[in-house]
Amino acid sequence: MALGSLADHLLLDSRDNGNGNAPRAEGGAARAELGDAHARRAGRRPGLEYLHETANPPVIYRDLKSSNVLLDDALCPKLSDFGLAKLGPVGDRSPRVMGTYGYCAPEYVRAGTLTVKTDVYSFGVLLLELVTGRRAVDSTRPAAEQLLVAWAMPMLRDSKRYRELADPLLRGDFPERDLKQAVAVAAMCLQEEASARPLMSDAAMTLAYLAEAAAAASSNTTPS
């Protein structure tokens, strides 16, 4: 794809060109999300929402991560690498846990329980990467910070600390309300119990609204 993967654009070590002028990630992220909003308005369901809620039987992607989200020249996201994807039934158990460490849902790691909510958890990790600019797993960091979800969890449980999660390359230049809503979506997706996580359609709708609001704000118009 023309612009590589989402990982190429949102992770700190891949964005810094050595002179302190790392490219900004939030514009591309918003445009990528806006592409999904446009798809929804055109009657098409984006990405995981289509796999989970339109495909019959549902498709569990099982390897959602930033390096598997590819971007075209308009920054519209495309899922790639369906090698681990699995058709329903929902609630199936996988005798062998597969996927990428740091993105796998706890019930899948513990017992091999595989549902569409497994993907929702992985999406929460992906969204947390986007918000923080950190990798899901980073062995170069101090031990307490190597696993992104474990490091972020105390802040995810306290809305007053959401701002601490923001990517430092944003330099505080973002709407506080939008950050809180994005982090809240990530927190819901990362619930320990699968049943407490939202459907992908609910998460996608919230993020599409945020993307449209950001686009409207940048053009000094008010979203409907």
Side-chain angles (χ1 to χ4, degrees):
M1 296 290 281
L3 295 180
S5 74
L6 183 59
D8 297 330
H9 297 270
L10 65 84
L11 300 177
L12 285 170
D13 57 357
S14 64
R15 287 181 285 157
D16 191 351
N17 59 18
N19 60 11
N21 295 321
R24 301 285 294 257
E26 76 279 16
R31 286 173 60 188
E33 290 165 4
L34 190 56
D36 277 354
H38 291 160
R40 181 186 296 280
R41 284 201 299 271
R44 302 189 304 272
R45 289 192 170 193
L48 290 179
E49 182 184 350
Y50 175 85
L51 296 178
H52 290 177
E53 300 175 37
T54 301
N56 186 21
V59 177
I60 303 170
Y61 184 55
R62 206 160 49 152
D63 199 20
L64 182 65
K65 55 185 176 181
S66 54
S67 60
N68 276 349
V69 179
L70 304 186
L71 303 172
D72 66 14
D73 54 4
L75 282 169
C76 290
K78 310 287 184 181
L79 291 180
S80 69
D81 191 356
F82 282 75
L84 297 183
K86 183 177 176 63
L87 296 177
V90 173
D92 193 14
R93 289 181 180 270
S94 175
R96 181 182 176 189
V97 174
M98 304 179 73
T100 302
Y101 179 64
Y103 290 90
C104 293
E107 72 277 4
Y108 184 45
V109 173
R110 288 193 303 261
T113 304
L114 191 62
T115 71
V116 292
K117 294 298 185 73
T118 307
D119 283 344
V120 173
Y121 183 93
S122 300
F123 181 78
V125 179
L126 177 69
L127 184 54
L128 198 56
E129 282 188 303
L130 192 152
V131 169
T132 64
R134 291 173 174 244
R135 294 181 179 275
V137 179
D138 189 346
S139 60
T140 67
R141 292 185 177 275
E145 299 184 20
Q146 291 183 4
L147 191 61
L148 177 58
V149 173
W151 168 78
M153 194 55 67
M155 288 167 274
L156 291 176
R157 291 171 175 160
D158 183 356
S159 60
K160 294 180 181 179
R161 299 187 63 189
Y162 281 2
R163 191 177 180 88
E164 296 176 40
L165 293 166
D167 183 345
L169 287 186
L170 296 176
R171 300 181 178 90
D173 184 18
F174 51 81
E176 188 87 17
R177 179 181 176 184
D178 289 357
L179 173 76
K180 288 182 177 180
Q181 291 182 347
V183 173
V185 173
M188 289 189 295
C189 292
L190 292 170
Q191 291 292 315
E192 181 77 12
E193 296 297 326
S195 60
R197 298 172 202 148
L199 296 173
M200 271 311 307
S201 56
D202 295 329
M205 184 177 299
T206 301
L207 293 176
Y209 172 78
L210 286 178
E212 290 185 321
S218 67
S219 60
N220 295 318
T221 60
T222 302
S224 59

